[in-house]
C-alpha cells in the first residue's frame, strides 16, 4: 500500500491516516472568508430556537431573527400578481382555471412561449431568457427617463450576489503589488469582503462618514486609493446605494463626484442598487448611477465602465428564496463582455422561476389591466409599512441614551451606534470577542433578539454598532426596539 | 486630472484612455476557461436560427439543438405531480382549488410549514431547508439498501454544478509544484476543466478506454497520478457515473477498485452521479459510490472521503431550468465541513423552487397515494423513451461506415467516434480549427444539426468524436441520426 507523499505527516504504523482535506490542506482563501449575516450569532440563535422547541425555559418565548434582510420570513406577504404569473408558468394547466385573471394568463403564455420547449424546466440562454432581458431593458429605460438600455448588456443572475461575484472574478488579476484592489465602503454588506477574500484580491476600505448620515466623501475615497496604491493595483470601486447596512441614500452630487473620481483614477464602478425601490425619507431620492453617468455627458457617458446590480429579494417584492436578479454592464470592453458571457455559460443559466418574478416586477400591470388595482394597493402597502418601520426604528433608538441611530433613509436596516462601557469592552477582550459581538450575544441570550454586530460589517476603530432589520411585524417592532434599548441600559449599568 | 498609473499605456494627449477592464488586465484564469457545451458551435447555431427567422433560405427548416442535455427543451414533459406541488407552494391560494389532488396539497403544506414565513420567498437555511435534507437523506438510505444518511451531511445546491464547484474550491491550495491537482476522466463533462481553469488548479487527465466501452482502468489512474506528482499535488479524483459524455455505467468491481486506489493514494473522491436514474442497458446497474464504499467495510467505510452529487436536471425529471441539486459528503473532516457551511452561507441559499422539486423527486407518491398511478406511468414513459432513444442512437450510428458508437448504457448522450479523412484534418488545421469542430460546423451549416465536437470534452490524440444528445423527439430521431450519418459519408467522399 502506497502512503500519501507530501504534506501529510506519515501515520504511524497501525495509526490512522490523516484525511486528505483538512484545515491545513484546504484552500487558505476560503478559511479567511467570513459572512457575519449568517455567522456565529445566527448559529447561536438556531441553538436557542432548538432549546425552546425542546421546552427549555428562557427569558423569551421566541427568537427574533432581525439579522437578515428577509422580509417574507418576517411575515411580509408576496405580491399576488407575481405569484399568479409564476404558478401559471410552473403548471400551465392552470391557464384553463377560472381562478386566475386574464392578464396573469397572458403574461404566463408570453413567457412560456419564450422558453425552450415552452417549459420553465428547460435551461434558458445563459444570460437569461431574451424576452425577459428585453423587459428589464425597458424597465431601466423607464426608470432612467428614456436613456436607452440594450438587452445584450443585461445578464440575469441567481440573485444579485451571483452577478457581483462574476464581476469581481473578471477584475481580479496580478500578483503581490500588482494584485487587484477593490475599494469597498465601511460599513459594507459582507458579501464584498467574503468574495474578495475567496478570490485573494485586496480589500481597500473607504469609510462612510457617520457624522454626516453616512455620506460618501471623495476626499476619503482619494485617501484610501492613494494608500492602497502602495501595495496593490486598485481597479474597482464598489458603492451600495441605498446603503447596506447604513441605509443612506446618496445625493446626486455625491454620485457625480464618485463617477468623476472613478473616471480620473481608472476604476471600474460596481453599483449595488438592489434597494432602489426602498427609499423612505423625505428629501431622499434614488439616482441611478447609469442615469447620472449618461447625463454627465462626455467623457464619462461613453467611457466610464459601470456595472449596476438589482434583485427581486428586496424592494416591494421580498422574493429572496427565488434567487432572481440582474446586472447591467455599461461601457464594458466588448471582448471582456464576451468573456463574461462565456464564464456565465459554464453554470448554464439562472433559475427560471427567479427570471419570471423579475420579469413581472420590471413590467408590472398597466392601469388598464385587471390586476392593476390590487397590485398597486399591495405594493403601496408594503412600501408604506417599510417606511413606517424605518421611521419608528430611528425614533425609538434615538430616544435611548447611549444609542444613536442615523436616519434610515432607505434599504431595510438600522445600524445604530452603541456606547459600551470600558469594563464591557475589557470583558469582551478577555473572552476573545469583538465588544459588539459580546453585546449582541448577551442581547440574544437575554431577549431572544438576534442582530448582527457592527464588527461583521466594518466600522471605525473604537466604535460599536449593530445591524438590525426593520422587518419584524409592525405590532412587534416597537416592543422589540424598546426591549433592545432597555437591555442596552441594563448592560451599561452592569458594566459601569 | 490624474492618469492611471501602472499597466495601462498612457493615452496620448487628447487620445482616449484605455478601459480599466480589458483582455490584458482581466483575470487570466477566466480567459483560459472554455465550456464547449455552450461554446462557439452553439453561437453559430443561434445565428442560424436568427437567419431562419428572417426568412433566409437554408438546406434545413430548423436547427436541432442536440448539444445540451436539456430534455424538456426537446419536448419531454415535466412530471405532473412535481409541478402540482410546486404550483401549490408558489401560490398557496391553490390549496383551496378542487383541481389539485389531496396528496399534492399535503406535500405543499408540509413544505411551506418548513419555510420561513411559510413562504418560498424566504431564504432557506444555507444548506437547504431542513425538512428537505431529511427527505433527501431518506432517499439515499432507500437507494443504498438502508445504509444511514445524515441530513447534516447533505447540502442542497443550485444544480449539481454549484456543489461541484464548492468542493473544488475547498480542495484548491498550494503553489507551483504543490498546487492541487484533480484527476478527471477524458472524455469529461467540461464543467470540470472550466472550474479547474478558473481556480488555477491543475487538471490531471486519465483516459477512459474506448475499446472497452469507456471502462475505467486503475492502471491508467495510476499512470496519470504518478506523472502528475512531478508537477503538482494531486488531491482529488473525479468520476462521472453514469458517464457524460460517454454513457458508460461502471461495474461494481470498477467502483471498488477506484475506491481502493483513492484510499491508497490519498485522494478525495468526487462522484458525479447525476444520471443515477438514467440506466438503460441490459446488464448495467447503477452502484452508488457511498453504498459500495460502506459495504467495503474498514478501512474505507469510515475513512475514505467522498462527495456524491445529484440533480433534478436529469433522471426522469429533466427540470434543468429550476437549478435543483445536492451533494452528500461522506467522511469529511468536521472542521472542513464547518468551513463548507460557512462558504455556502455567503450565497445565502439555493433557489427554493429547485429545493421543492428535489423534495418531491426524492419522495415520490407511495402506492396508496392518489397521484401514484399517474406519477409512475409518466416516470416509466419518460425512462422507457430515453432507453429506446439510447438504443436507436447506438444502432443507427453503428450502421454507418466510419462511425463507431459505444453502447449508450446510461446518461443522455452518444459520443461516437468518427473517421475523418486526412485531407479534412488538414483543411481544419489550415482554418485553425480542431478537425472535429470543422466537421461539426459543416454538419450544422448543411443540416441544421448542432452537436458538440469531441475536442470540447477531451479525447485521445488523433481520434475524433462528437457528443449528440439522445433527446430529440422520437419521431425525429431516426431521420436525424440518418441525416447525420449521410452527412458524414458525404463529407468523407468530399475530402477523400
Amino acid at each position: 500500500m502506497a502512503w500519501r507523499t507530501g504534506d501529510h505527516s506519515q501515520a504511524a504504523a497501525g495509526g490512522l491516516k490523516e484525511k486528505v482535506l483538512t484545515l491545513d490542506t484546504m484552500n487558505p482563501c476560503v478559511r479567511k472568508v467570513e459572512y457575519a449575516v449568517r455567522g456565529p450569532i445566527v448559529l447561536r440563535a438556531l441553538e436557542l430556537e432548538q432549546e425552546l422547541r425542546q421546552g427549555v425555559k428562557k427569558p423569551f418565548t421566541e427568537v427574533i431573527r432581525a439579522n437578515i434582510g428577509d422580509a417574507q420570513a418576517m411575515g411580509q406577504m408576496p405580491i399576488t400578481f407575481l405569484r399568479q404569473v409564476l404558478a401559471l408558468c410552473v403548471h400551465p394547466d392552470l391557464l384553463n382555471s377560472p381562478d386566475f385573471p386574464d392578464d396573469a394568463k397572458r403574461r404566463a403564455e408570453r413567457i412560456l412561449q419564450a422558453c425552450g420547449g415552452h417549459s420553465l424546466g428547460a435551461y434558458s440562454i445563459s444570460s437569461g431568457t431574451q424576452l425577459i432581458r428585453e423587459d428589464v431593458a425597458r424597465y431601466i429605460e423607464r426608470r432612467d427617463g428614456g436613456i436607452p438600455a440594450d438587452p445584450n448588456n443585461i445578464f440575469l443572475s441567481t440573485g444579485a450576489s451571483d452577478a457581483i461575484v462574476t464581476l469581481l472574478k473578471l477584475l481580479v488579476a496580478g500578483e503581490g503589488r500588482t494584485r487587484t484592489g477593490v475599494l469597498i465602503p465601511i460599513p459594507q454588506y459582507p458579501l464584498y469582503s467574503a468574495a474578495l477574500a475567496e478570490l485573494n484580491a485586496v480589500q481597500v476600505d473607504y469609510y462612510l462618514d457617520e457624522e454626516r448620515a453616512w455620506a460618501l466623501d471623495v476626499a476619503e475615497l482619494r485617501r484610501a486609493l492613494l494608500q492602497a496604491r502602495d501595495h496593490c493595483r486598485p481597479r474597482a470601486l464598489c458603492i451600495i446605494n441605498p446603503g447596506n447596512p447604513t441605509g443612506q441614500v446618496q445625493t446626486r452630487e455625491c454620485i457625480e463626484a464618485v463617477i468623476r473620481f472613478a473616471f480620473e483614477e481608472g476604476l471600474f464602478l460596481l453599483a449595488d442598487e438592489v434597494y432602489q425601490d426602498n427609499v423612505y425619507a423625505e428629501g431622499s431620492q434614488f439616482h441611478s448611477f447609469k442615469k447620472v453617468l449618461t447625463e454627465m455627458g462626455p467623457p464619462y457617458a461613453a467611457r466610464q465602465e459601470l456595472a449596476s446590480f438589482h434583485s427581486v429579494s428586496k424592494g416591494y417584492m421580498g422574493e429572496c428564496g427565488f434567487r432572481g436578479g440582474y446586472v447591467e454592464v455599461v461601457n464594458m470592453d466588448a471582448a471582456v463582455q464576451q468573456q463574461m458571457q462565456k464564464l456565465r455559460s459554464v453554470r448554464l443559466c439562472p433559475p427560471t422561476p427567479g427570471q419570471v418574478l423579475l420579469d413581472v416586477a420590471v413590467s408590472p400591470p398597466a392601469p388598464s389591466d385587471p390586476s392593476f388595482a390590487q397590485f398597486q394597493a399591495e405594493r403601496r402597502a408594503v412600501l408604506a409599512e417599510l417606511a413606517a418601520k424605518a421611521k419608528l426604528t430611528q425614533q425609538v433608538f434615538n430616544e435611548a441614551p447611549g444609542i444613536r441611530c442615523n436616519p434610515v433613509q432607505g434599504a431595510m436596516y438600522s445600524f445604530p451606534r452603541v456606547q459600551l462601557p470600558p469594563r464591557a469592552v475589557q470583558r469582551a477582550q478577555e473572552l476573545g470577542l469583538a465588544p459588539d459581538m459580546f453585546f449582541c450575544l448577551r442581547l440574544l441570550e437575554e431577549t431572544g433578539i438576534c442582530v448582527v454586530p457592527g464588527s461583521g460589517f466594518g466600522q471605525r476603530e473604537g466604535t460599536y454598532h449593530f445591524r438590525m432589520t426593520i422587518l419584524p411585524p409592525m405590532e412587534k417592532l416597537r416592543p422589540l426596539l424598546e426591549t433592545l434599548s432597555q437591555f442596552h441600559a441594563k448592560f451599561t449599568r452592569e458594566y459601569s
Side-chain angles (χ1 to χ4, degrees), chain A residues 187-410:
Chain A
Q188 49 116 19
Y189 172 55
L191 165 71
Y192 292 93
S193 48
L196 295 174
E198 194 193 312
L199 294 170
N200 202 27
V202 180
Q203 176 179 328
V204 179
D205 296 341
Y206 68 87
Y207 289 82
L208 300 177
D209 189 346
E210 185 159 22
E211 301 312 310
R212 294 191 300 122
W214 302 114
L216 197 164
D217 186 354
V218 172
E220 167 56 14
L221 288 179
R222 185 161 287 117
R223 191 272 323 146
L225 180 70
L226 293 179
Q227 272 184 299
R229 282 193 172 132
D230 267 350
H231 61 272
C232 71
R233 183 71 53 77
R235 285 185 224 270
L237 168 54
C238 298
I239 176 166
I240 310 173
N241 184 53
N244 175 7
T246 45
Q248 88 287 2
V249 178
Q250 300 293 359
T251 63
R252 190 191 168 103
E253 292 68 36
C254 167
I255 292 172
E256 288 180 357
V258 169
I259 291 169
R260 267 193 296 273
F261 175 78
F263 186 77
E264 288 165 7
E265 301 297 344
L267 300 170
F268 195 115
L269 268 171
L270 303 177
D272 182 340
E273 300 180 309
V274 302
Y275 295 100
Q276 58 192 264
D277 289 325
N278 301 106
V279 176
Y280 314 122
E282 290 290 319
S284 288
Q285 188 187 337
F286 172 71
H287 301 282
S288 116
F289 260 82
K290 183 186 177 199
K291 179 172 201 274
V292 175
L293 173 66
T294 308
E295 290 174 350
M296 285 169 74
Y300 315 100
R303 301 289 306 162
Q304 173 58 42
E305 292 150 82
L306 166 71
S308 160
F309 306 93
H310 195 19
S311 167
V312 301
S313 301
K314 313 299 176 186
Y316 63 90
M317 300 83 75
E319 298 284 20
C320 304
F322 288 91
R323 317 311 288 112
Y326 75 78
V327 57
E328 182 190 19
V329 296
V330 181
N331 296 325
M332 181 179 261
D333 176 271
V336 171
Q337 200 158 325
Q338 279 185 342
Q339 291 287 318
M340 180 169 168
Q341 177 72 26
K342 177 189 75 174
L343 184 62
R344 300 292 300 167
S345 79
V346 179
R347 303 293 288 274
L348 291 149
C349 71
T352 50
Q355 295 191 40
V356 172
L357 292 182
L358 178 67
D359 187 65
V360 183
V362 299
S363 31
S368 53
D369 292 338
S371 300
F372 177 78
Q374 184 178 0
F375 176 91
Q376 286 295 335
E378 290 177 355
R379 179 178 180 276
R380 207 177 294 126
V382 165
L383 292 174
E385 179 152 328
L386 288 170
K389 290 174 175 178
K391 194 168 174 181
L392 180 66
T393 296
Q394 184 179 324
Q395 179 198 319
V396 174
F397 278 146
N398 280 323
E399 286 165 0
I403 301 183
R404 191 171 151 285
C405 183
N406 268 330
V408 180
Q409 296 172 344

Side-chain angles (χ1 to χ4, degrees), chain A residues 3-196:
Chain A
W3 293 91
R4 297 181 205 101
T5 58
D7 61 346
H8 304 285
S9 49
Q10 293 285 340
L16 289 175
K17 279 190 202 180
E18 265 187 39
K19 297 211 173 188
V20 176
L21 187 56
T22 66
L23 286 187
D24 290 335
T25 66
M26 70 175 278
N27 186 335
C29 298
V30 170
R31 282 188 74 176
K32 291 193 277 123
V33 166
E34 296 301 336
Y35 183 67
V37 174
R38 284 203 150 173
I41 196 150
V42 179
L43 297 176
R44 182 60 191 145
L46 280 167
E47 287 175 4
L48 288 170
E49 282 180 329
Q50 176 79 335
E51 291 179 30
L52 280 172
R53 275 194 298 270
Q54 290 162 351
V56 176
K57 200 147 172 41
K58 293 282 172 198
F60 47 88
T61 52
E62 63 173 329
V63 170
I64 302 291
R65 305 285 207 89
N67 57 294
I68 187 168
D70 187 344
Q72 293 191 24
M74 303 304 285
Q76 178 177 303
M77 298 300 292
I79 302 293
T80 302
F81 189 68
L82 264 64
R83 296 299 190 93
Q84 286 174 328
V85 175
L86 181 58
L88 288 159
C89 288
V90 163
H91 190 50
D93 285 10
L94 292 169
L95 289 166
N96 299 318
S97 162
D99 300 332
F100 287 81
D102 275 347
D103 51 354
K105 292 182 175 181
R106 299 294 82 78
R107 295 299 188 101
E109 285 172 331
R110 179 174 175 269
I111 290 166
L112 288 173
Q113 283 285 89
C115 295
H118 299 166
S119 170
L120 289 196
Y123 292 118
S124 77
I125 295 175
S126 296
S127 49
T129 305
Q130 173 75 20
L131 186 77
I132 298 176
R133 284 182 290 110
E134 289 169 3
D135 289 347
V136 170
R138 281 191 281 269
Y139 160 79
I140 294 170
E141 289 174 351
R142 286 194 312 274
R143 181 196 70 190
D144 293 347
I147 292 165
D150 181 346
N152 291 325
N153 292 338
I154 293 162
F155 295 78
L156 307 192
S157 54
T158 306
S161 300
D162 172 32
I164 290 165
V165 170
T166 290
L167 264 297
L168 291 173
K169 276 185 189 174
L170 289 168
L171 282 157
V172 171
E175 293 186 41
R177 292 191 64 190
T178 67
R179 192 67 175 166
T180 295
V182 178
L183 277 77
I184 68 172
I186 296 299
Q188 49 116 19
Y189 172 55
L191 165 71
Y192 292 93
S193 48
L196 295 174

